[in-house]
């Protein structure tokens, strides 16, 4: 491995900017770190270069641990967004700088310089000053300068940011060519997904300091695991759908056969439909793909090779569309069509069309939407405006439904509302909370989010499960929640006091197992802690240690639930997510 | 006509590129007014200095420099500038570096403190040193026991001059270094350069014109300082009189030729400084 990052964390003013990032980049690989501004990608690159330290974790280059090695001794080449050429030196002096530092003889220096200038196609420019070159040429010089000392790793920090489109494309090709020719391991940081697709062997998508997903461009595009990646890499229609034995049901129609999965539960899921996978035709019969609904064309935009449509779904369709690429609300679907398709069926705004879906991808996230549950509609409405819940819904681009249960918490009473509990059920934290939570869990709620009135976005999330049966579900839910928070994740393992010595060894192994499962199956990096004592008591103690914490706890049985959780739930100050996976 | 002028002016001002006779008249008027003002307030006094100095002929003018006290004053001023300017250059560099490159607690306090000498009266700047090192000052007794003199001696003059001139280099460099940023230094470091190499080959060339400009300003003030130095010097002829102080003494003794001769020399030194500054600016802008 050329570059190995192990749980790299960097805090700025108390908040993590890079959050537990682990990553392996192979020899000669072109890796692109993609993310919006503020996602921590540049900070991570600077950490690899050694220009900023890390608070936690390790960095290795070619198997050599460089976490505490000074930047000048790391032997990397770094290219900056604004070139950072030495403005008082000529092109030749700029390129030879690293060689002069290494006391190379003038003749050898000149030879290497000629070689590099040829590589970046700038022969004969030796005696120019940077100010006499165009932006694209300056960046070529910067690339040549960064390569002069034959670094093992080339790091590019938004190298095309300051260039216009034509030059950008040309330079992109040059850099890719140089990289292939030298076989040098390269990391490029960018916020431009097109650039990432064009250059990368592998892309890592970052958001809120976390590395969310990695993979080959095509895999990430066609099978994203998270909402963020689905919408950040290209445009996507996110749709709340139901997974049924027959397929993916959107509204009244089942549009596609379900992908094979071990999870056979019928439940709400988040479906991704790319705009180019939507088909429009004059009638349902003319569609060659699964019928979704009828719609009215709201907008037609010609963009050259492709035509972009916005189609408003007609009433009666039950599929609420979660997110539009531009954030616009309302049930309208983004569609792109090729010239060929346009010739086959011409479309005008206001036209009534039949909509079909060619391909649906279902996100593996267990969190689809929220249902605010309370004793009356007014209370449910108030709960839906709780700051943390509202913030989560916005970040997850999902909706908050409301459900009134007048008999909430009354023993033996049945549910008043029809239908199963959909998505994650939210419950206000109050005096008799433990009983209400048990009441809901016994009546089919699986993921229960208990919210104190003023709880805000947490900085740390504690994870614990009671019973191995809820382990993988808890990890999946935790990973899904944490993708939308910049909080750090800590798994708290708790063992009974009396068996401390015997269990300690056993406990450590459990911790490591949990950590590696979180990493492998869910891409979630977490810290681990081991404590001894009563579970609820230890968790309460741990939560009291610092403000702005949240607890995610997995349970497999509800016997004595209210009794055990009273201390944590009744009037608790922290948000708590209960993941219940009982055996039927 | 008088009433029509402003409105016509306003109309023209909103249409750039239109040159009417009125427009050019206004332009010449403005230039004439500012030149007249300059002549009256600046050039006339300057000319007076030289006219008065040469009033009794070149012989008398040159003769006044032969006076040992005058020569001593010139020497003292030059020595002070020679010591103070390099020290303040180093300090200014260090302070500007710290402020532009690092985040630390008390940074804004440091910036304010650097400006302090510009804000307080030079007389008070001198007083501070008398209060510290004078006979009845904090360290006065200790200094006398060890037979060290600071006040009414060369060290006091240098300290006072240093105090009033230390903002100039730092003031010039801080905005420049903040604007130029850290990227070039970081690039140098990733290319393998150490601290000194980065400083001498990257940072210093980058800021050299700003630095030189700050030094020129610092030098001008160091040679011309009157108030602070007057308080600490004690006006001992031939020993602790700098040029500005010496001019005052000569003038008070009705030795006008002598006073104005020294004044003309100081003026020439200032003019020389300004010429250097202008050259620096020109070269600097062309190179930047």
């Amino acid at each position: 491995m050329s570059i190995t990052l192990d749980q790299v964390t960097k805090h700025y003013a108390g908040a993590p900017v890079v959050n537990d990032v682990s990553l392996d980049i192979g020899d000669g690989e072109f890796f692109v770190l993609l993310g919006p501004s503020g996602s921590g990608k540049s900070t991570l690159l600077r950490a690899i270069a050694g220009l900023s330290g890390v608070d936690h974790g390790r960095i290795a280059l070619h198997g050599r641990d460089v976490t505490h090695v000074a930047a000048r001794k790391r032997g990397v080449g770094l290219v900056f967004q604004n070139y950072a050429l030495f403005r008082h030196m000529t092109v030749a002096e700029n390129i030879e700088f690293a060689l002069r530092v290494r006391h190379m003889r003038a003749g050898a220096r000149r030879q290497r310089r000629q070689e590099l200038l040829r590589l970046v196609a700038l022969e004969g420019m030796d005696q120019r000053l940077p100010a006499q070159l165009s932006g694209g040429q300056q960046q070529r010089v910067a690339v040549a300068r960064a390569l002069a000392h034959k670094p093992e790793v080339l790091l590019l920090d938004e190298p095309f940011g300051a260039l216009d489109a034509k030059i950008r494309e040309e330079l992109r090709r040059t850099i890719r060519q140089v990289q292939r020719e030298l076989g040098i391991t390269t990391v490029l940081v960018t916020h431009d997904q097109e650039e990432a697709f064009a250059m990368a062997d592998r892309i890592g998508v970052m958001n809120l300091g976390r590395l969310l997903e990695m993979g080959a461009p095509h895999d990430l595009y066609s099978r994203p695991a998270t909402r963020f990646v689905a919408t950040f890499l290209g445009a996507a229609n996110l749709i709340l759908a139901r997974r049924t034995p027959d397929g993916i049901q959107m509204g009244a129609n089942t549009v596609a056969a379900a992908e094979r999965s071990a999870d056979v539960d019928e439940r709400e899921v988040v479906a991704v439909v790319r705009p180019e996978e939507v088909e429009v035709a004059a009638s349902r019969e003319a569609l060659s793909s699964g019928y979704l609904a009828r719609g009215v064309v709201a907008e037609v935009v010609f963009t050259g090779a492709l035509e972009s449509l916005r189609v408003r779904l007609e009433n009666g369709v039950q599929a609420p569309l979660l997110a539009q690429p531009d954030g616009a609300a309302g049930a309208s679907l983004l569609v792109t069509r090729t010239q060929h398709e346009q010739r086959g069926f011409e479309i005008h705004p206001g036209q009534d069309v039949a909509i079909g879906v060619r391909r649906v991808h279902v996100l593996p996230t267990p969190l689809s939407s929220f249902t605010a549950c309370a004793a009356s509609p007014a209370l449910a409405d108030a709960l839906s405006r709780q700051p943390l819940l509202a913030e989560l819904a916005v970040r997850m681009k999902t909706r908050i439904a409301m459900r009134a249960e007048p008999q909430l918490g009354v023993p033996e009473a049945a549910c008043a509302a029809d239908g199963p509990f959909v998505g994650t059920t939210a419950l206000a934290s109050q005096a008799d909370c433990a009983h209400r939570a048990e009441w809901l869990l016994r009546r089919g709620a699986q993921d229960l989010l208990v919210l104190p009135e003023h709880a805000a976005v947490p900085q740390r999330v504690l994870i614990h499960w009671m019973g191995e049966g809820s382990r993988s579900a808890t990890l999946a839910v935790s990973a899904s929640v944490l993708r939308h928070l910049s909080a750090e994740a800590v798994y708290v393992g708790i063992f009974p006091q009396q068996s401390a010595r015997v269990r300690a060894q056993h406990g450590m192994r459990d911790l490591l197992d949990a950590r590696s499962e979180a990493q492998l199956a869910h891409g979630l990096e977490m810290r681990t802690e081991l404590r001894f004592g009563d579970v609820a008591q230890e968790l309460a103690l741990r939560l009291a240690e610092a403000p702005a914490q949240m607890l995610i706890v997995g349970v497999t049985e509800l016997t004595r639930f209210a009794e055990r959780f009273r201390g944590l739930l009744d009037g608790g100050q922290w948000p708590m997510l209960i993941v219940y996976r009982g055996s039927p | 006509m008088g009433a029509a002028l402003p409105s016509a002016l306003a109309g023209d001002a909103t249409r750039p590129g239109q040159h009417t006779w009125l427009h050019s008249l206004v332009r010449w008027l403005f230039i004439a007014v500012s030149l007249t003002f300059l002549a009256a307030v600046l050039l006339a006094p300057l000319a007076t200095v030289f006219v008065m100095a040469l009033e009794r002929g070149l012989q008398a003018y040159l003769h006044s420099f032969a006076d040992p006290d005058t020569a001593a004053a010139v020497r003292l001023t030059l020595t002070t500038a020679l010591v103070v300017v390099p020290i303040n250059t180093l300090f200014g560099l260090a302070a500007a570096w710290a402020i532009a490159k690092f985040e630390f607690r008390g940074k804004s306090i440091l910036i304010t403190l650097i400006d302090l000498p510009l804000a307080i009266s030079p007389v008070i700047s001198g007083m501070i040193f008398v209060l510290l090192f004078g006979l009845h000052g904090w360290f006065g007794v200790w200094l006398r026991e060890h037979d060290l003199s600071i006040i009414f001696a060369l060290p006091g003059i240098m300290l006072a001059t240093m105090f009033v001139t230390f903002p100039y280099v730092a003031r010039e460099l801080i905005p420049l270094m903040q604007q130029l940023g850290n990227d070039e230094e970081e690039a140098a470091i990733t290319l393998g350069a150490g601290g000194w190499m980065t400083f001498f080959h990257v940072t210093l060339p980058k800021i050299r014109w700003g630095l030189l400009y700050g030094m020129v300003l610092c030098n001008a003030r160091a040679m011309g300082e009157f108030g602070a130095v007057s308080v600490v010097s004690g006006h001992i002829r031939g020993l602790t009189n700098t040029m500005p102080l010496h001019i005052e003494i000569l003038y008070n003794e009705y030795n006008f030729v002598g006073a104005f001769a020294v004044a003309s020399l100081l003026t020439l030194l200032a003019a020389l400084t300004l010429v250097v500054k202008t050259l620096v600016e020109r070269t600097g802008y062309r190179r930047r």
Side-chain angles (χ1 to χ4, degrees):
Chain A
M1 284 299 143
S2 257
I3 304 173
T4 307
L5 306 181
D6 183 28
Q7 293 203 310
V8 170
T9 301
K10 171 85 183 166
H11 292 263
Y12 190 75
V17 236
V18 175
N19 203 342
D20 270 338
V21 171
S22 295
L23 172 65
D24 279 320
I25 300 173
D27 286 330
E29 190 176 2
F30 199 115
F31 190 90
V32 174
L33 272 176
L34 179 67
S37 54
S39 59
K41 55 193 192 308
S42 280
T43 310
L44 188 60
L45 194 80
R46 290 171 60 83
I48 299 173
L51 290 175
S52 66
V54 299
D55 298 329
H56 179 87
R58 292 179 334 109
I59 299 170
L61 299 176
H62 291 276
R64 180 170 70 111
D65 188 333
V66 295
T67 315
H68 302 292
V69 173
R72 54 184 289 242
K73 301 216 166 109
R74 290 203 185 179
V76 301
L78 180 58
V79 175
F80 296 78
Q81 176 172 3
N82 47 4
Y83 327 131
L85 292 177
F86 307 130
R87 64 195 85 188
H88 58 281
M89 296 186 197
T90 62
V91 168
E93 288 167 332
N94 263 285
I95 295 176
E96 288 180 23
F97 187 83
L99 307 177
R100 246 180 33 220
V101 171
R102 287 164 178 75
H103 307 293
M104 192 187 264
R105 277 182 303 108
R109 284 207 313 250
R110 191 168 347 105
Q111 201 183 336
R112 177 86 183 124
R113 184 226 304 169
Q114 305 289 6
E115 222 171 274
L116 288 161
L117 281 175
R118 196 160 44 243
L119 201 62
V120 296
L122 279 181
E123 290 114 315
M125 299 280 196
D126 309 60
Q127 294 315 316
R128 303 270 188 99
L129 280 172
Q132 298 166 320
L133 300 177
S134 72
Q137 288 172 325
Q138 288 190 48
Q139 197 58 296
R140 280 162 195 267
V141 175
V143 170
R145 183 182 67 177
L147 290 170
H149 54 300
K150 302 195 172 158
E152 294 167 326
V153 168
L154 179 63
L155 307 173
L156 306 156
D157 190 0
E158 306 235 7
F160 314 116
L163 302 170
D164 56 49
K166 270 259 155 42
I167 309 280
R168 195 181 290 205
E169 203 141 308
E170 196 183 304
L171 191 60
R172 216 186 262 173
R173 222 173 303 123
T174 311
I175 288 186
R176 195 68 176 102
Q177 206 175 327
V178 167
Q179 192 267 342
R180 284 221 183 86
E181 204 168 308
L182 301 179
I184 183 173
T185 309
T186 304
V187 182
L188 178 129
V189 160
T190 182
H191 60 266
D192 182 346
Q193 47 107 0
E194 192 193 325
E195 196 170 294
F197 281 146
M199 304 191 76
D201 291 326
R202 210 150 52 104
I203 298 176
V205 184
M206 283 189 79
N207 190 35
L208 297 170
R210 257 198 195 82
L211 185 60
L212 292 183
E213 286 182 59
M214 295 184 268
H218 181 262
D219 292 346
L220 276 189
Y221 185 75
S222 58
R223 282 187 297 280
T226 60
R227 290 162 227 256
F228 182 81
V229 173
T231 49
F232 193 71
L233 277 182
N237 298 294
L238 291 185
I239 300 173
L240 277 179
R242 276 200 85 69
R243 189 209 299 273
T244 67
D246 305 327
I248 306 301
Q249 186 189 335
M250 292 182 190
N253 298 297
T254 300
V255 294
E259 293 160 45
R260 269 181 198 285
S261 128
D263 180 11
V264 287
D265 287 356
E266 189 177 322
R267 63 177 190 91
E268 191 183 51
V269 292
V270 181
V272 177
V273 178
R274 294 285 181 197
E276 65 273 19
E277 304 289 3
V278 182
E279 187 187 3
V280 282
S283 67
R284 186 171 177 168
E285 289 69 37
L287 286 172
S288 62
S289 58
Y291 173 72
L292 173 66
R294 289 202 73 81
V296 177
V297 177
E299 191 184 85
V300 180
V301 180
F302 175 71
T303 62
L306 295 173
E307 177 190 62
S308 164
L309 310 177
R310 195 172 284 284
V311 185
R312 200 176 302 115
L313 296 183
E314 281 195 339
N315 286 345
V317 173
Q318 296 297 308
L321 297 158
L322 294 175
Q324 301 300 323
D326 59 359
S332 68
L333 210 56
L334 191 70
V335 186
T336 53
R337 303 199 309 157
T338 61
Q339 292 277 355
H340 176 74
E341 287 172 291
Q342 290 170 45
R343 280 192 295 273
F345 175 50
E346 224 170 286
I347 283 179
H348 310 286
Q351 196 170 334
D352 188 45
V353 291
I355 301 164
V357 174
R358 296 190 187 99
R359 183 177 174 279
V360 179
H361 169 69
V362 175
L363 295 181
T365 172
L367 299 182
S368 51
S369 66
F370 292 101
T371 303
C373 188
S376 72
L379 286 173
D381 186 56
L383 177 60
S384 73
R385 282 195 295 273
Q386 198 278 343
L388 174 58
L389 181 61
E391 181 64 30
L392 272 176
V394 168
R395 290 189 188 184
M396 292 167 70
K397 297 170 175 150
T398 194
R399 62 162 184 192
I400 305 172
M402 273 168 268
R403 183 174 177 130
E405 290 287 352
Q407 305 273 41
L408 182 59
V410 178
E412 312 302 325
C415 279
D418 284 338
F421 287 89
V422 172
T424 302
T425 308
L427 178 68
S429 173
Q430 49 187 282
D432 196 24
C433 191
H435 269 115
R436 288 162 189 249
E438 182 175 343
W439 192 90
L440 286 168
L441 293 173
R442 284 195 186 281
R443 281 157 187 76
Q446 283 204 313
D447 302 326
L448 185 64
L449 180 60
V450 181
L451 293 160
E453 198 180 342
H454 297 295
V457 178
Q459 303 248 310
R460 181 183 292 135
V461 174
L462 305 179
I463 301 162
H464 179 78
W465 53 83
M466 304 167 184
E468 285 300 295
S470 61
R471 163 180 165 153
S472 69
T474 308
L475 282 173
V477 168
S478 303
S480 210
V481 169
L482 280 159
R483 272 177 211 129
H484 303 98
L485 304 173
S486 64
E488 60 176 17
V490 180
Y491 169 67
V492 188
I494 303 171
F495 295 93
Q497 187 83 57
Q498 63 270 28
S499 61
R501 195 170 298 166
V502 192
R503 285 291 202 94
Q505 224 174 355
H506 193 63
M508 279 314 291
R509 218 180 53 215
D510 275 8
L511 289 190
L512 292 177
D513 282 357
R515 213 191 112 185
S516 67
E517 184 182 336
Q519 219 172 67
L520 288 175
H522 308 288
L524 170 69
E525 288 288 344
M526 55 183 195
R527 313 279 176 78
T528 48
E529 273 178 20
L530 199 53
R531 294 173 86 99
F532 296 95
D534 173 65
V535 170
Q537 216 173 342
E538 286 299 318
L539 286 175
L541 281 174
R542 184 68 181 80
L543 283 166
E545 275 173 22
Q549 299 196 87
M550 177 178 172
L551 176 65
I552 299 178
V553 63
V555 290
T556 47
E557 55 175 322
L558 297 175
T559 346
R560 293 177 55 235
F561 176 88
E563 199 181 315
R564 275 190 297 159
F565 281 91
R566 184 164 295 133
L568 279 169
L569 283 171
D570 290 359
Q573 296 304 303
W574 36 77
M576 189 167 154
L577 179 54
I578 301 162
V579 181
Y580 171 56
R581 294 292 185 274
S583 33
Chain B
M1 182 68 201
L5 193 72
S7 64
L9 248 178
D12 273 354
T14 56
R15 271 176 285 154
Q18 274 218 346
H19 289 282
T20 61
W21 63 271
L22 189 65
H23 205 109
S24 53
L25 182 79
V26 169
R27 191 159 59 116
W28 285 113
L29 207 69
F30 269 98
I31 294 173
V33 165
S34 44
L35 280 182
T36 314
F37 191 76
L38 207 66
V41 177
L42 213 78
L43 291 178
L46 264 181
T48 314
V49 169
F50 287 94
V51 168
M52 294 291 281
L54 294 165
E55 202 182 27
R56 307 245 172 97
L58 196 63
Q59 201 65 38
Y61 175 77
L62 291 176
H63 185 75
S64 43
F65 290 110
D67 173 30
D69 291 349
T70 304
V74 174
R75 257 201 315 277
L76 181 60
T77 293
L78 291 179
T79 316
T80 307
L82 223 58
V83 171
V84 166
V85 174
I87 290 179
N88 274 340
T89 303
L90 282 181
F91 164 79
L93 259 175
W97 184 279
I99 286 167
K101 311 269 168 174
F102 306 116
E103 289 300 323
F104 53 90
R105 225 190 274 201
K107 186 164 155 173
S108 54
I109 295 176
L110 182 62
I111 296 175
T112 313
L113 280 180
I114 287 174
D115 281 346
L116 198 66
L118 294 179
I120 59 176
S121 159
V123 178
I124 296 176
S125 310
M127 290 288 288
I128 298 167
F129 289 98
V130 174
L131 287 176
L132 276 178
F133 304 115
L135 201 54
H136 304 289
W138 290 5
F139 305 109
V141 178
W142 186 89
L143 285 169
R144 202 174 50 170
E145 277 167 9
H146 291 79
D147 203 19
L148 294 169
S149 49
I150 288 183
I151 298 305
F152 308 143
L154 184 61
I157 293 170
M158 285 183 175
L159 277 175
T161 311
M162 215 181 291
F163 182 82
V164 294
T165 57
F166 84 63
Y168 291 97
V169 174
R171 271 282 113 189
E172 194 60 35
L173 286 184
I174 290 167
L176 180 68
M177 284 169 107
Q178 277 173 340
Q179 177 214 331
L180 292 176
N182 256 348
D183 284 1
E184 287 179 49
E185 280 82 358
E186 289 186 340
I189 289 167
T190 59
L191 292 171
W196 289 114
M197 172 116 185
T198 306
F199 179 75
F200 284 110
H201 286 86
V202 178
T203 306
L204 205 53
K206 199 165 79 169
I207 59 166
R208 59 187 158 183
W209 300 119
L211 182 64
L212 213 58
Y213 187 43
M215 286 168 71
V216 164
L217 287 180
C218 179
N219 182 56
R221 178 77 195 264
M223 291 199 299
E225 176 56 27
F226 180 86
V229 173
S230 171
V231 177
V232 297
S233 99
H235 305 271
I236 309 168
R237 277 195 181 210
L239 275 179
T240 63
N241 257 356
T242 61
M243 280 164 80
L245 300 182
H246 194 60
I247 292 167
E248 197 210 13
I249 289 179
L250 290 174
Y251 186 81
N252 288 344
E253 289 171 352
Y254 305 105
N255 182 355
F256 295 124
V257 172
F260 282 104
V262 180
S264 71
L265 182 63
L266 198 58
T267 309
L268 281 176
L269 282 174
L272 187 72
T273 308
L274 283 176
V275 168
V276 171
K277 179 197 135 205
T278 313
L279 284 179
V280 161
E281 271 180 346
R282 273 208 200 150
T283 335
Y285 282 127
R286 211 178 317 132
R287 288 297 295 263
R288 241 182 258 172

